[in-house]
Amino acid sequence: MKTKIPAVERTRRLIRSATTAVAASLVATALSGCSALTQPINGVPADRLPPQFFAEPKNDLVPVDIALLSIEPPRNYQISGGDILGIYVEGVLPFNPPNQPPEPPPVNFPDAESTLPPSIGYPIAVQDDGTLSLPLVEPLDVEGLTLEQVRDAIRDKYIDEDILRPEKVRPIVTIIKERTYDVIVVREDGGGTGNGSLSTQNVAAQFFSGGSDRSASGGLVKLPAYQNDILHALVETGGLPGLNAKNEVKVLRANRADQRMRAQFMQQWYAQQQAAKLDPCSCPPPLPEDPSILRIPLRVKPGVVPNIPEDQIVLNDGDIVYIESRETEVYYTGGLLNGGEFPLPRDYDLDVLGAISIAGSSVGGTASQFGTSIGRGVQGVPPGMLYILRKDDCGGQVAIEVDLSAAINDPRQRPLVKAGDTLILQYKCEEEAINFGLSTFFTFGIAEIFRQAR
């Protein structure tokens, strides 16, 4: 026969059982160890880190006036080598016997893609040295002259040579075809216009979804005179760089002097790298700016106007316009976050809280989101410690410690994510102990309480 236990004694037993269950869970946690103890990361709190380890903000950057990337054409077209002129000189071009009526000049219609009006005259090409060869006279130097000035020069030449009488010299000069410049455009943002190419928007979407191989597209672009600038080269190949390209344009000149400068620059830099490797305590120098490569930023700080002289944006035959991909501008996740590689936004900042959200987790969520299930509908404590593993300029790394509870309440404790960062999310030791204790209590403690209560 069972003895009935008084109510006060039953309450005491329940309290002792609950206390014993919680204490046992805490002891088990301490014996098994938490990740903060078994896998420690020696981090530096974000508010104690020197400024040089933080990312440069870019939220306040403004687009560059794209008009700075184009040249201003002169009011009147100036002749140069490569132009094809339509010229008619009565009695000379074409030759006409004195006793016959003159032949009418031919009419030339431009190509479909040309913006020139129909022209009159026989096609005569301006030589590379800027001279124009006409019948019965020495070549004329027409470099930099307008059509009206060329017409006057032809008239004066035939009068001075006593070939035609002044009242009979009425030359006609028009433009049949403008000179063009062959420029190479290499784009790693999918902005090419060749067959099978994708639009900039589609390629950018593929980049952010991880479905693009970021392969480069390139081609030869023929730019008419006074349109041979960076802006027209970009417009002809798909527009300004897309979201998966860097916010800058590189220009590599085709002349031999610049090519030799680039080769010499790389040789000197590699020699410095090899010399630095001989000293284990030295810091290898980073790759400096190549003075022979023109870099034009497309976004700058407010109030800053890039100093871009017009001669720098003019493109000549063989010059290369290079749009570089930003495929290396990614960050990585690990620890309690799902491992992955995620691209950084190009035109705005991303702090650690936003980076965690992009990785598929929510700050302040339940413990079950991070692989810890309490059971019976009870939500545990979410992880509260984030470490940013950031590389330095000398091949090492620094671990930045971010307390997520403090970061939620204080924007100053939310470091911006840089390219190459690795984000490791962990529980604090007390958080892991609480979750383990709650799991143990609701799994075994309640059953023990009811058993003691019977």
Side-chain angles (χ1 to χ4, degrees):
M1 180 177 180
K2 293 185 179 179
T3 304
K4 187 175 182 180
I5 302 175
V8 175
E9 183 63 23
R10 287 202 305 271
T11 302
R12 290 176 179 173
R13 289 188 178 184
L14 290 175
I15 294 174
R16 285 197 300 268
S17 299
T19 304
T20 302
V22 172
S25 65
L26 294 177
V27 170
T29 302
L31 292 176
S32 61
C34 64
S35 59
L37 296 177
T38 59
Q39 299 176 357
I41 299 178
N42 298 321
V44 180
D47 56 353
R48 299 181 185 177
L49 203 64
Q52 62 266 25
F53 288 100
F54 289 100
E56 287 289 337
K58 52 188 175 183
N59 273 345
D60 59 343
L61 299 182
V62 294
V64 171
D65 183 4
I66 60 174
L68 297 175
L69 306 180
S70 64
I71 58 179
E72 182 179 1
R75 179 173 298 180
N76 296 313
Y77 188 89
Q78 296 177 354
I79 305 301
S80 185
D83 290 326
I84 299 179
L85 303 182
I87 299 178
Y88 175 78
V89 182
E90 183 180 343
V92 175
L93 190 65
F95 174 75
N96 188 61
N99 56 351
Q100 292 185 3
E103 296 183 8
V107 178
N108 309 289
F109 293 94
D111 298 333
E113 64 273 9
S114 176
T115 59
L116 293 174
S119 58
I120 297 175
Y122 291 91
I124 303 294
V126 180
Q127 303 302 313
D128 292 339
D129 59 357
T131 59
L132 187 66
S133 297
L134 295 174
L136 306 177
V137 294
E138 294 292 330
L140 291 175
D141 185 6
V142 297
E143 180 71 29
L145 301 183
T146 64
L147 291 178
E148 183 178 353
Q149 291 171 338
V150 173
R151 183 167 55 248
D152 293 340
I154 294 174
R155 182 177 183 277
D156 294 340
K157 190 69 174 177
Y158 279 104
I159 292 176
D160 294 341
E161 297 289 337
D162 199 20
I163 297 175
L164 296 174
R165 290 179 296 178
E167 65 272 13
K168 292 292 186 179
V169 183
R170 296 186 295 270
I172 297 175
V173 180
T174 57
I175 297 180
I176 295 180
K177 186 177 181 181
E178 301 167 307
R179 62 186 181 273
T180 58
Y181 297 88
D182 295 336
V183 177
I184 300 174
V185 180
V186 179
R187 305 185 63 132
E188 293 182 344
D189 63 343
T193 57
N195 295 333
S197 63
L198 299 174
S199 67
T200 303
Q201 293 83 0
N202 291 338
V203 175
Q206 286 190 359
F207 172 71
F208 278 93
S209 63
S212 172
D213 61 355
R214 277 91 84 184
S215 59
S217 61
L220 185 66
V221 181
K222 291 183 176 294
L223 300 177
Y226 304 115
Q227 296 181 17
N228 55 317
D229 52 45
I230 295 175
L231 181 59
H232 283 88
L234 295 178
V235 171
E236 289 292 328
T237 56
L240 295 176
L243 292 176
N244 57 332
K246 292 184 177 180
N247 250 325
E248 67 176 11
V249 179
K250 289 183 179 180
V251 179
L252 288 76
R253 300 298 181 185
N255 59 72
R256 296 295 181 183
D258 284 328
Q259 293 177 2
R260 287 194 296 267
M261 287 179 60
R262 289 195 292 269
Q264 184 179 5
F265 170 82
M266 294 305 299
Q267 289 176 356
Q268 293 176 352
W269 182 74
Y270 279 120
Q272 294 176 358
Q273 290 283 90
Q274 295 298 326
K277 291 180 180 179
L278 299 177
D279 185 0
C281 297
S282 67
C283 180
L287 181 64
E289 292 289 338
D290 191 335
S292 65
I293 297 178
L294 174 63
R295 293 176 182 265
I296 300 178
L298 298 181
R299 293 177 72 88
V300 295
K301 294 183 178 180
V304 175
V305 179
N307 183 19
I308 309 175
E310 185 171 292
D311 60 341
Q312 291 188 352
I313 62 175
V314 173
L315 301 175
N316 296 308
D317 286 329
D319 286 349
I320 301 174
V321 178
Y322 181 39
I323 306 298
E324 188 176 2
S325 171
R326 59 184 194 92
E327 60 180 345
T328 58
E329 296 183 8
V330 296
Y331 69 95
Y332 307 92
T333 56
L336 295 173
L337 295 172
N338 294 326
E341 176 185 288
F342 302 91
L344 288 172
R346 189 189 68 173
D347 298 330
Y348 59 89
D349 296 329
L350 180 68
D351 59 26
V352 291
L353 300 187
I356 293 176
S357 300
I358 292 177
S361 301
S362 60
V363 179
T366 63
S368 59
Q369 291 179 301
F370 303 95
T372 303
S373 178
I374 304 302
R376 299 181 181 270
V378 179
Q379 297 180 355
V381 179
M385 185 59 67
L386 180 73
Y387 293 95
I388 306 175
L389 305 184
R390 180 164 295 172
K391 298 178 181 178
D392 59 21
D393 296 334
C394 296
Q397 75 171 18
V398 60
I400 305 174
E401 182 180 293
V402 181
D403 190 322
L404 295 180
S405 299
I408 292 175
N409 298 289
D410 187 1
R412 295 173 298 179
Q413 300 195 39
R414 304 174 195 168
L416 301 180
V417 181
K418 289 181 64 175
D421 284 350
T422 300
L423 276 55
I424 305 294
L425 184 64
Q426 283 189 350
Y427 282 109
K428 299 178 184 178
C429 194
E430 59 270 23
E431 294 168 346
E432 198 164 352
I434 292 173
N435 287 334
F436 190 89
L438 291 174
S439 175
T440 304
F441 175 75
F442 281 96
T443 303
F444 304 105
I446 293 180
E448 180 64 19
I449 291 174
F450 281 105
R451 187 183 68 80
Q452 294 291 340
R454 290 199 300 266

